Amino acid sequence: MKDFTFYNPARIIFGKNSLDMLGDNMHHLGKRVLLHYGMASIKKHGIYEDVMNRLNALNIEVYELGGVKANPEFDLVAQGIKMCKEHAIEGILAVGGGSVIDSAKGIAAGVLYAGNIEEAYVDNLNIDDALPIGCVLTIPAAGSESSASSVVSVNNATLKRSIKGTCLIPRFAIINPAYFVSLRSDQAAAGISDIFAHLLERYFTNTEHVDYTDRLLEATMRTIIHYGPYVVNHLDDIDAWSEIGFAGTLAHNGLLGSGREEDWASHRIEHELTALYHIPHGAGLAIVFPAWMKHVYPENKDRFVQFAQRVFDVDYATHEVDKIIEEGISRYERFLKSMFLPTRLHEAGILNDDSDIMIERMYYKRSESFGNFKKLYAEDVYKIFKYAK
Amino acid sequence: MKDFTFYNPARIIFGKNSLDMLGDNMHHLGKRVLLHYGMASIKKHGIYEDVMNRLNALNIEVYELGGVKANPEFDLVAQGIKMCKEHAIEGILAVGGGSVIDSAKGIAAGVLYAGNIEEAYVDNLNIDDALPIGCVLTIPAAGSESSASSVVSVNNATLKRSIKGTCLIPRFAIINPAYFVSLRSDQAAAGISDIFAHLLERYFTNTEHVDYTDRLLEATMRTIIHYGPYVVNHLDDIDAWSEIGFAGTLAHNGLLGSGREEDWASHRIEHELTALYHIPHGAGLAIVFPAWMKHVYPENKDRFVQFAQRVFDVDYATHEVDKIIEEGISRYERFLKSMFLPTRLHEAGILNDDSDIMIERMYYKRSESFGNFKKLYAEDVYKIFKYAK
């Protein structure tokens, strides 16, 4: 186990009546608030109205900025920063999924940032100060509701890059699993794939003596394996969504990576798929992660055996190590396919080979390798794209 | 799952070099600080000196109050409150185990409390304000390093009672597993029993649809079952202590009870054993919890079957429900005995039957029943004491 500090002061307000707690928490955001949201869905499902009624009852001055798209773009962040400065806005309430919350974080940081916040994203900088953020979560997936990071498409939407900092952790996150029943099955599946990937990025480590966090990660993965394919087929089951929702938050609040070197190579590779082809992040991860596994597993077979055994119940016999590992990866792919996700590029309609473009962008203004489980140089990523074909 | 709010802003600073972070965190406690500790052990093992050197380097005005005993008593809390008021102390640094930290919390709350803080303990009140607390943990057991509660012996040490409140959560907890190697095996065993009991109090619930937290609790229990008896026999294994230490903190920071009705009857019963016989809290829990299980299991057999299966790997066959449950409880007892803990009163040298006294104190100034898995009236507690004989 590595030395670590875990600090996450987000208030997780969870449950069917959690929006009733909004009023008690708005003081964290001040009296002049930017309400940030996505497209039409929060209006269609009555969430917008429920939120506005509560804000109006508190006499909060609300400025609205809607229109966040999946894979949020910097243009809207820039617009939000301008609005906040013009109206001396004190805090931001994000109502939506990870894209909306990530966009809100970009605005919150940008308002107080001395330099150019778009460049901070390009350079993946740590940020020290931001306006306070609160959120009402409508999609369990990204974990942004209690994470310390934000991912936004920058550089004319050619790069998906991130900023990090404790100041980006929302002061409160209202998580009402009843909101999740209005998701489509493909949105649900992509979200579940994203949650699972957040666990895998932490699980695949070469750090030794991390048994307790191994078990917590396995417990979370098994919960997702149990409930993920189920909710995709039973979108109205609030109890099942509650399990997914809480697991999704803990998957990415930092706790489960405590004391471990994390990987994050698959996320970096996937960001290029999303930037180029505009496929959902969770679908991209369903393609990249199995391919990454096939390329890197010889690096630490013991860990892949443990994954196969403890997460996917593959039987163990010492003379069959490679078979056990292959079966583990294959069961992960079957889990993804059972939610109708693509696990190969062509299944997502991607038939061109754009490896060159994506690999160039992936390393743009960055060091010659990335990832920790195995350091990936450009030639490794080419191989991973081959497995993904 | 019940609606819930989870909020825990403690900074968990973990690892072999974690004391190096003390300087960066002392600003949370101000410039005039009470250093609170126990008996001789922190001086013997050099921890006192390491802490003092760091405080002196920061020019912090340090006032010392040592002498906290296991099962801390209110007299010392009162003395601490007086010192803090006299010297306008701004924060408290607790260096020790759960007793020291609980005593520090009592002082921190007492300084700012308008009424009589001893009565607040007797009445188990929620507290709104306290001086900031930081801690350097030397025994993994009580979880007080990031919990929102404090247990102290009050009323001339006849009652062990608690106060609660977010303000009692330490601002930072430095957890260095290298400190744990100096524990005796009986201290280690008692601490491990206490950690396990914190998990059981949350595990045994009748709340439905709590699968994810079930799995997190099971993961934590399995970690303790794996490493607990091992460290008792290998007290110098820092890697094993790291697993126990982190599990002990998460067992009681509130997270694993999220959305669940918790029980806490066994703790209430045990507190009377400690108050009357001065046995270690963890040893008392090793006696009370198996007895509680034997009395309450008919209330919800499914949950006890799950415990037997998933925590202690008891094979399942539907026609043998009671046998499975008995085997689960029996394996829990064997786990405790493997750490040389008593699981019956007489094994702890308690031969008198003082049930009457303890039961009278247990209900003193309180409602006629307690516990949630099964409501316990006095006649129930008599039966539990019989099982414990």
Side-chain angles (χ1 to χ4, degrees):
Chain A
M1 205 183 296
K2 292 165 55 188
D3 282 23
F4 68 87
T5 292
F6 173 72
Y7 173 59
N8 192 313
R11 285 161 187 80
I12 305 300
I13 304 163
F14 196 99
K16 292 166 200 148
N17 301 304
S18 52
L19 194 65
D20 293 344
M21 302 290 285
L22 182 65
D24 287 348
N25 283 281
M26 282 304 296
H27 65 93
H28 295 293
L29 307 187
K31 296 299 281 181
R32 301 164 66 86
V33 169
L34 182 73
L35 179 66
H36 198 41
Y37 52 90
M39 313 304 279
S41 78
I42 66 159
K43 295 195 175 169
K44 197 169 88 188
H45 299 298
I47 302 171
Y48 172 86
E49 204 185 336
D50 284 350
V51 168
M52 280 305 275
N53 287 342
R54 285 173 167 85
L55 298 182
N56 289 337
L58 294 164
N59 289 320
I60 287 170
E61 245 178 83
V62 179
Y63 297 83
E64 292 189 42
L65 181 61
V68 182
K69 291 186 249 174
N71 306 308
E73 296 185 3
F74 187 75
D75 283 356
L76 198 69
V77 171
Q79 204 179 321
I81 294 170
K82 200 164 156 249
M83 275 180 75
C84 287
K85 287 182 175 171
E86 261 174 35
H87 301 289
I89 282 168
E90 296 164 353
I92 306 179
L93 181 64
V95 181
S99 299
V100 172
I101 302 169
D102 278 1
S103 181
K105 288 176 176 180
I107 297 168
V111 172
L112 301 183
Y113 194 65
N116 178 335
I117 193 74
E118 187 172 10
E119 280 171 25
Y121 274 98
V122 173
D123 297 333
N124 291 90
L125 293 188
N126 284 310
I127 297 292
D128 292 326
D129 212 1
L131 294 181
I133 305 151
C135 58
V136 176
L137 185 69
T138 61
I139 308 175
S144 188
E145 66 276 11
S146 71
S147 81
S149 60
S150 158
V151 181
V152 166
S153 293
V154 291
N155 203 17
N156 294 317
T158 59
L159 303 172
K160 273 191 81 172
R161 295 280 169 101
S162 64
I163 55 174
K164 282 198 183 68
T166 303
C167 62
L168 299 178
I169 298 174
R171 304 298 170 103
F172 62 86
I174 290 176
I175 304 174
N176 182 344
Y179 294 162
F180 306 157
V181 305
S182 58
L183 292 172
R184 298 188 314 264
S185 62
D186 61 312
Q187 292 172 314
I192 289 158
S193 165
D194 193 12
I195 293 169
F196 204 83
H198 291 155
L199 300 162
L200 294 173
E201 296 284 19
R202 294 175 166 96
Y203 192 74
F204 287 103
T205 185
N206 297 312
T207 310
E208 295 193 325
H209 303 296
V210 290
D211 290 3
Y212 179 41
T213 43
D214 271 0
R215 286 191 190 274
L216 294 176
L217 286 161
E218 289 156 4
T220 312
M221 285 193 267
R222 293 184 72 100
T223 302
I224 301 294
I225 291 165
H226 186 83
Y227 284 104
Y230 175 84
V231 285
V232 169
N233 289 293
H234 301 83
L235 290 164
D236 59 349
D237 189 327
I238 295 178
D239 293 319
W241 274 122
S242 297
E243 308 285 352
I244 295 280
F246 192 32
T249 296
L250 290 195
H252 201 44
N253 81 342
L255 182 72
L256 303 184
S258 297
R260 310 169 70 94
E261 185 174 60
E262 304 182 0
D263 190 68
W264 298 101
S266 300
H267 265 72
R268 176 150 349 158
I269 297 172
E270 194 293 317
H271 285 166
E272 301 308 330
L273 291 184
T274 297
L276 194 62
Y277 306 115
H278 306 285
I279 60 170
H281 178 53
L285 287 165
I287 295 166
V288 172
F289 235 120
W292 174 86
M293 288 178 173
K294 288 167 194 169
H295 180 64
V296 306
Y297 86 76
E299 211 62 21
N300 183 342
K301 289 187 180 182
D302 288 351
R303 182 143 286 276
F304 270 90
V305 167
Q306 185 179 312
F307 172 70
Q309 276 194 277
R310 291 220 210 141
V311 179
F312 283 105
D313 292 324
V314 179
D315 274 345
Y316 186 77
T318 49
H319 59 288
E320 291 181 322
V321 165
D322 289 85
K323 273 194 197 163
I324 291 161
I325 293 170
E326 280 162 28
E327 179 60 21
I329 298 171
S330 161
R331 290 190 192 184
Y332 169 44
E333 287 180 306
R334 269 181 268 159
F335 155 71
L336 295 165
K337 283 181 189 164
S338 75
M339 298 184 291
F340 317 108
L341 286 162
T343 60
R344 295 291 186 285
L345 289 163
H346 69 87
E347 291 167 5
I350 300 167
L351 303 173
N352 291 350
D353 184 347
D354 300 310
S355 309
D356 293 339
I357 303 170
M358 290 191 285
I359 288 170
E360 197 194 325
R361 288 177 174 180
M362 217 173 284
Y363 289 92
Y364 174 71
K365 281 195 162 196
R366 284 161 148 180
S367 59
E368 57 173 7
S369 74
F370 60 86
N372 290 310
F373 187 79
K374 177 182 170 71
K375 275 189 197 306
L376 302 183
Y377 296 87
E379 68 255 32
D380 293 293
V381 184
Y382 277 108
K383 284 179 192 158
I384 289 168
F385 278 133
K386 273 202 176 157
Y387 280 117
K389 262 206 174 160
Chain B
M1 206 183 295
K2 291 164 56 188
D3 281 23
F4 68 87
T5 293
F6 174 72
Y7 172 59
N8 193 313
R11 286 162 187 78
I12 305 299
I13 304 163
F14 196 100
K16 292 166 202 147
N17 300 304
S18 51
L19 194 66
D20 292 344
M21 303 290 285
L22 182 64
D24 288 347
N25 283 280
M26 282 304 296
H27 65 93
H28 295 294
L29 307 188
K31 295 299 280 180
R32 299 164 66 86
V33 169
L34 182 73
L35 179 66
H36 198 41
Y37 52 90
M39 313 304 278
S41 78
I42 67 160
K43 293 196 177 168
K44 197 169 90 189
H45 300 297
I47 302 171
Y48 172 86
E49 204 186 335
D50 285 350
V51 167
M52 280 304 275
N53 287 343
R54 285 173 168 85
L55 298 182
N56 290 336
L58 294 165
N59 291 317
I60 287 170
E61 245 178 85
V62 180
Y63 297 83
E64 293 190 41
L65 181 62
V68 182
K69 291 186 249 176
N71 306 308
E73 296 185 3
F74 186 74
D75 283 356
L76 199 69
V77 171
Q79 203 179 320
I81 293 170
K82 200 165 154 249
M83 276 181 76
C84 286
K85 287 182 176 172
E86 261 174 37
H87 301 290
I89 281 169
E90 296 165 352
I92 305 179
L93 181 64
V95 182
S99 299
V100 173
I101 302 169
D102 278 2
S103 181
K105 288 177 176 180
I107 298 169
V111 172
L112 302 183
Y113 194 65
N116 179 335
I117 193 75
E118 187 172 9
E119 281 172 22
Y121 274 98
V122 173
D123 297 333
N124 292 90
L125 295 188
N126 284 310
I127 297 292
D128 292 326
D129 211 1
L131 294 182
I133 304 150
C135 58
V136 176
L137 186 70
T138 60
I139 308 175
S144 188
E145 65 276 12
S146 72
S147 80
S149 60
S150 158
V151 181
V152 166
S153 293
V154 290
N155 203 17
N156 294 317
T158 60
L159 303 171
K160 273 191 82 172
R161 295 280 169 100
S162 63
I163 54 173
K164 283 197 181 69
T166 303
C167 62
L168 299 177
I169 298 174
R171 305 297 170 101
F172 62 86
I174 290 177
I175 304 174
N176 183 345
Y179 293 162
F180 306 157
V181 305
S182 60
L183 292 172
R184 297 189 313 266
S185 62
D186 62 313
Q187 292 172 314
I192 289 158
S193 166
D194 193 12
I195 293 170
F196 204 83
H198 291 156
L199 300 162
L200 294 174
E201 296 284 19
R202 294 175 166 96
Y203 193 73
F204 288 103
T205 185
N206 297 311
T207 309
E208 296 193 323
H209 302 296
V210 290
D211 291 3
Y212 179 42
T213 43
D214 271 359
R215 286 190 190 275
L216 294 176
L217 286 161
E218 289 155 4
T220 312
M221 286 192 267
R222 293 184 71 100
T223 302
I224 301 294
I225 292 166
H226 186 84
Y227 283 104
Y230 175 85
V231 284
V232 169
N233 290 293
H234 300 83
L235 290 164
D236 59 349
D237 189 327
I238 296 178
D239 293 319
W241 273 123
S242 297
E243 307 285 353
I244 296 281
F246 192 32
T249 296
L250 290 195
H252 202 43
N253 80 343
L255 183 72
L256 304 184
S258 297
R260 310 169 71 94
E261 186 175 59
E262 304 181 2
D263 190 68
W264 297 100
S266 300
H267 264 73
R268 178 156 340 163
I269 297 171
E270 194 295 316
H271 284 166
E272 302 308 330
L273 290 185
T274 297
L276 194 60
Y277 305 114
H278 306 285
I279 59 170
H281 177 53
L285 287 164
I287 295 166
V288 173
F289 235 120
W292 175 86
M293 288 179 174
K294 288 167 194 169
H295 180 63
V296 306
Y297 86 76
E299 213 61 21
N300 184 342
K301 290 189 180 181
D302 287 351
R303 182 144 286 278
F304 271 89
V305 168
Q306 185 179 312
F307 172 70
Q309 275 194 277
R310 290 219 209 143
V311 179
F312 282 104
D313 293 324
V314 180
D315 275 345
Y316 186 77
T318 49
H319 60 288
E320 291 181 322
V321 165
D322 289 85
K323 274 194 197 163
I324 291 160
I325 293 170
E326 281 162 29
E327 179 61 20
I329 297 171
S330 161
R331 290 190 190 184
Y332 168 44
E333 287 179 307
R334 268 181 269 160
F335 156 70
L336 295 166
K337 283 180 189 166
S338 75
M339 297 184 292
F340 317 108
L341 286 163
T343 59
R344 295 290 188 286
L345 288 163
H346 69 87
E347 293 167 4
I350 301 167
L351 303 172
N352 290 351
D353 184 348
D354 300 310
S355 308
D356 293 339
I357 304 170
M358 289 192 284
I359 288 170
E360 197 193 324
R361 289 177 175 181
M362 216 174 284
Y363 289 93
Y364 175 70
K365 281 196 162 193
R366 283 162 150 179
S367 60
E368 58 174 6
S369 74
F370 60 87
N372 290 310
F373 187 79
K374 177 181 169 72
K375 273 187 200 306
L376 301 184
Y377 297 87
E379 69 254 34
D380 294 294
V381 183
Y382 277 108
K383 283 179 191 157
I384 290 168
F385 278 133
K386 273 202 176 158
Y387 280 117
K389 262 205 176 162

